[in-house]
């Protein structure tokens, strides 16, 4: 009988452990779904569009806190948080499979394994945070709430800075609608900290304190327009700086054809060339800016017929609009860069014997934050990249910060691809208010990831950068999301994803510094780290001396 009882207890423990693991994975999956809520609808007309994402993120964190609060040991807490984070992160950037398998030629099992391995590796930050949080088991409920928020924020920060940083899917992005008004003050990590505290409080607090926090959470996440109400009552620390007409080009070149010299390359040269000719001669765009996406021209300039550049030089020189174009630059001896160049009206005709591309280029921006495996190969991983067929391997990094593009009375700051994940790096150009950018421009090619939620997520990321820095964000992409986002993070206009087309809009430029831009441009994210460290020190559990009397 004793043996049967032991077996029953062992089976019960295994069943309970499996249930906990499933719960952690499901909660992590809910977190992934909350990042860029893919349906622009409300629930039953009660929650406004975008609010279900904030609620789902909050409920996901509540479930995690409940799981951690009942973990018997620090190692159990680490396993639960690790499973949660692995599911969340893999569910967030699962579309990396598309780039590795569909376009890179990596066999499907290895591509799946690579996504899971990356997610599990990045989840270690959260597992460590959960294990450390177990030290607060003997602390008061309020201290536990604050410690959870601080440790969770430090884990988010560590993921964003270690190993070149990969902060895609940070929890704060799910809170654009509900807590976005805080972005100009504390940024995406600060928003994530507030959300973590608000989610942990109803689980950990007791009595009246729990009731109060439940009501507060319901107000923040459940009342339609609560986020907009808060935004209207916080001071706007930026001011208008004029307007800039823009024309955004979305070539929709299929990724499988993009570098094909018989298909995608001729199509890109022809279509983007035609659009530049039309735009620079359009009176409605006088004094404006034409923007073509990342590697819109997928060849090095010296590999393009010089007659092509001479023809563009002639029309841009005599036109009324500037052009910002994504193109790779460099050579085997000098190294390569993923760059954007700008061409302005005016100037002399190009010398036929000279380099016509050099005669065109009046401004150059080189991408600083490169994509691992796509734009540079981490040490020891060349074997992995050799398993894939992805062109344009190792690039050189641009400096940080780089001068803005001065045109039509505006200071225009480009960023390329996932550089707009790093608000602290974009903020590096905001050290002096009088020289700070007035307009941000993102040039991207998300076609590497197919027609997936990566497009929606990247739009959300740009919305947070616009909020943090108090600047409009103009996005020109190959397949989407090509859009104009105002300084309050609202999408003003957008092209249908995956369709070839142009988007005309007038961008309301801004000047002045948000509090976030002011402090991050000077000291980076260290104040955030310092606040979290101070919270942990202030709430550190003291040993109960009564046990030793």
């Amino acid at each position: 009988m004793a043996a049967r009882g032991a077996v029953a207890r062992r089976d019960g423990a295994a069943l309970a452990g499996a249930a906990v693991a499933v719960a952690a994975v499901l909660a992590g999956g809910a977190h992934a779904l909350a990042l860029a809520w893919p349906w622009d609808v409300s629930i039953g007309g009660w929650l406004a569009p975008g609010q279900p994402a904030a609620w789902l993120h909050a409920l996901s964190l509540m479930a995690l806190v409940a799981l951690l609060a009942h973990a018997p040991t620090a190692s159990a807490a680490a396993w639960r948080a690790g499973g949660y984070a692995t599911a969340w992160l893999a569910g967030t950037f699962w579309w990396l499979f598309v780039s590795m398998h569909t376009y890179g030629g990596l066999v499907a099992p290895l591509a799946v394994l690579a996504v899971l391995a990356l997610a599990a590796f990045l989840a270690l930050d959260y597992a460590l945070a959960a294990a450390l949080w177990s030290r607060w088991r003997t602390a008061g409920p309020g201290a536990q709430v604050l410690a959870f928020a601080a440790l969770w924020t430090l884990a988010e920060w560590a993921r964003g800075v270690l190993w070149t940083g990969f902060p895609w899917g940070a929890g704060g992005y799910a809170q654009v609608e509900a807590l976005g008004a805080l972005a100009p003050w504390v940024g995406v990590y600060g928003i994530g900290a507030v959300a973590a505290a608000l989610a942990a409080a109803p689980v950990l607090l007791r009595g009246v304190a729990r009731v109060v926090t439940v009501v507060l959470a319901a107000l923040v996440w459940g009342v339609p327009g609560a986020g907009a109400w808060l935004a209207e009552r916080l001071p706007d620390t930026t001011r208008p700086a004029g307007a800039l007409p823009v024309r955004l080009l979305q070539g929709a070149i299929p990724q499988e054809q993009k570098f094909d010299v018989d298909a995608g390359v001729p199509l890109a040269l022809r279509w983007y060339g035609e659009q530049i000719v039309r735009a620079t001669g359009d009176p409605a765009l006088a004094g404006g800016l034409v923007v073509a996406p990342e590697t819109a021209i997928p060849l090095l300039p010296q590999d393009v017929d010089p007659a092509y550049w001479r023809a563009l030089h002639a029309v841009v020189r005599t036109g009324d609009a500037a052009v910002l174009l994504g193109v790779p630059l460099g050579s085997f001896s000098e190294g390569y860069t993923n760059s954007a160049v700008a061409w302005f009206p005016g100037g002399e005709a190009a010398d036929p014997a000279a380099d016509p591309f050099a005669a065109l280029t009046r401004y150059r921006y080189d991408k600083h934050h490169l994509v691992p495996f796509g734009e540079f190969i981490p040490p020891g991983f060349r074997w992995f990249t050799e398993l894939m067929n992805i062109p344009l391997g190792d690039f050189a990094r641009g400096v940080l910060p780089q001068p803005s593009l001065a045109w039509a009375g505006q200071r225009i700051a480009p960023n390329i691809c996932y550089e707009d994940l790093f608000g602290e790096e974009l903020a590096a150009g905001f050290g002096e208010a009088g020289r700070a950018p007035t307009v941000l421009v993102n040039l991207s090619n998300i076609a590497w990831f197919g027609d997936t939620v990566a497009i929606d997520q990247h739009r959300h990321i740009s919305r947070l950068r616009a909020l943090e820095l108090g600047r409009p964000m103009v996005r020109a992409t190959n397949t989407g999301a090509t859009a104009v986002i105002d300084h309050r993070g609202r999408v003003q206009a957008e092209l249908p994803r995956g369709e070839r087309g142009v988007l005309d809009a007038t961008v309301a430029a801004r000047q002045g510094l948000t509090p976030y831009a002011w402090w991050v441009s000077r000291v980076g994210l260290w104040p955030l780290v310092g606040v979290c460290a101070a919270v942990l020190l202030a709430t550190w559990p003291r040993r109960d001396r009564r046990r030793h009397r």
Side-chain angles (χ1 to χ4, degrees):
M1 293 296 293
R4 290 181 181 178
V7 170
R9 287 191 296 273
R10 186 171 64 248
D11 290 345
L15 184 61
V20 167
V22 169
V25 169
L26 289 177
H31 192 161
L33 185 59
L35 294 161
W37 181 258
W39 304 284
D40 189 22
V41 296
S42 63
I43 294 181
W46 180 48
L47 296 179
Q51 277 190 290
W55 255 118
L56 195 59
H57 174 240
L59 292 174
S60 169
L61 283 177
M62 289 178 187
L64 173 65
V65 172
L67 290 171
L68 298 182
H70 293 89
T73 63
S75 61
W79 276 106
R80 294 178 184 190
Y84 171 96
T86 300
W88 150 36
L89 296 172
T92 298
F93 50 67
W94 62 267
W95 34 260
L96 290 174
F97 171 88
V98 177
S99 63
M100 290 186 287
H101 173 63
T102 304
Y103 301 122
L106 188 66
V107 294
L110 279 180
V112 171
L113 184 61
V115 172
L116 291 175
L118 176 61
F121 175 73
L122 296 175
L124 293 176
D125 293 322
Y126 304 94
L128 176 60
L132 291 174
W133 187 64
S134 296
R135 297 291 299 258
W136 275 260
R137 189 180 301 277
T138 59
Q144 292 182 36
V145 170
L146 293 175
F148 175 80
L151 286 166
W152 198 252
T153 303
L154 288 175
E156 291 267 62
W157 168 79
R159 179 165 68 93
V161 300
L162 297 180
W163 319 110
T164 78
F166 191 65
W168 197 291
Y173 292 116
Q175 299 293 335
V176 172
E177 309 298 342
L179 297 174
L182 301 178
W185 303 82
V186 297
V188 68
Y189 294 123
I191 290 175
V194 172
L198 280 176
V203 178
L204 299 173
L205 298 182
R206 299 290 182 268
V208 175
R210 170 178 283 180
V211 174
V212 170
T213 56
V214 167
V215 172
L216 180 60
L219 290 173
V220 169
W221 288 314
V223 176
W229 180 89
L230 179 61
E232 290 171 359
R233 278 150 184 80
L234 289 176
D236 191 343
T237 56
T238 66
R239 57 191 185 278
L244 178 70
V246 297
R247 177 166 295 176
L248 311 179
L249 309 182
Q250 180 171 288
I253 311 295
Q255 190 60 39
E256 63 271 18
Q257 299 179 11
K258 185 171 177 63
F259 298 99
D260 188 334
V261 296
D262 296 320
V265 172
L267 174 58
L269 290 171
R270 182 177 68 254
W271 191 80
Y272 284 113
E274 291 172 351
Q275 297 308 316
I276 290 171
V277 170
R278 292 175 183 172
T280 53
D282 188 343
L285 203 61
L289 181 68
V290 184
V291 188
E294 176 187 16
T295 59
I297 304 301
L299 295 177
L300 294 166
Q302 59 267 35
D303 294 333
V304 178
D305 186 347
Y308 181 83
W309 301 124
R310 280 194 288 270
L312 287 181
H313 188 281
V315 298
V316 173
R317 184 176 65 87
T318 58
D320 297 311
V323 177
L324 185 64
L325 173 77
V327 60
L329 299 177
S331 65
F332 179 78
S333 59
E334 299 173 354
Y336 303 99
T337 57
N338 188 353
S339 301
V341 297
W343 306 333
F344 302 154
E348 300 296 327
D351 182 350
D355 180 350
F357 182 83
L360 264 174
T361 301
R362 308 272 292 279
Y363 170 86
R364 170 175 172 174
Y365 171 83
D366 297 328
K367 186 178 183 183
H368 167 75
H369 207 116
L370 304 179
V371 179
F373 304 105
E375 293 172 327
F376 79 96
I377 302 172
F381 281 92
R382 184 166 293 277
W383 63 271
F384 179 72
T385 60
E386 289 177 351
L387 294 175
M388 296 182 287
N389 181 29
I390 294 180
L392 304 176
D394 271 328
F395 284 93
R397 296 179 186 274
V399 299
L400 186 72
Q402 298 179 49
S404 298
L405 162 62
W407 170 248
Q410 303 298 335
R411 295 181 296 272
I412 303 161
N415 59 87
I416 297 176
C417 190
Y418 92 144
E419 282 190 306
D420 65 347
L421 266 76
F422 303 91
E424 65 275 17
E425 294 182 1
L426 298 192
F430 286 71
E432 298 181 39
R435 296 184 180 181
T438 57
V439 177
L440 303 174
V441 179
N442 178 265
L443 299 84
S444 291
N445 176 31
I446 304 298
W448 281 110
F449 312 116
D451 184 13
T452 66
V453 74
I455 294 174
D456 306 282
Q457 292 170 348
H458 205 191
R459 184 198 302 107
H460 254 42
I461 289 165
S462 287
R463 292 180 65 195
L464 242 302
R465 296 295 85 78
L467 282 163
E468 286 176 344
L469 300 173
R471 295 296 187 271
M473 177 74 83
V474 174
R475 294 177 46 83
T477 71
N478 182 21
T479 56
T482 295
V484 174
I485 300 169
D486 72 5
H487 76 290
R488 289 190 179 274
R490 297 170 297 200
V491 178
Q492 301 293 290
E494 183 175 356
L495 285 178
R497 57 203 282 174
E499 297 182 12
R500 189 166 299 134
V502 301
L503 177 62
D504 287 332
T506 299
V507 178
R510 304 289 293 186
Q511 58 187 332
L513 299 182
T514 64
Y516 175 86
W518 186 90
W519 62 265
V520 172
S521 65
R522 287 159 174 77
V523 291
L525 294 173
W526 290 110
L528 177 75
V529 176
V531 169
C532 290
V535 167
L536 295 179
L537 287 174
T539 61
W540 186 267
R542 303 313 194 259
R543 181 174 296 178
D544 190 347
R545 298 181 181 273
R546 291 173 299 179
R547 296 180 180 179
H548 304 283
R549 291 179 179 174

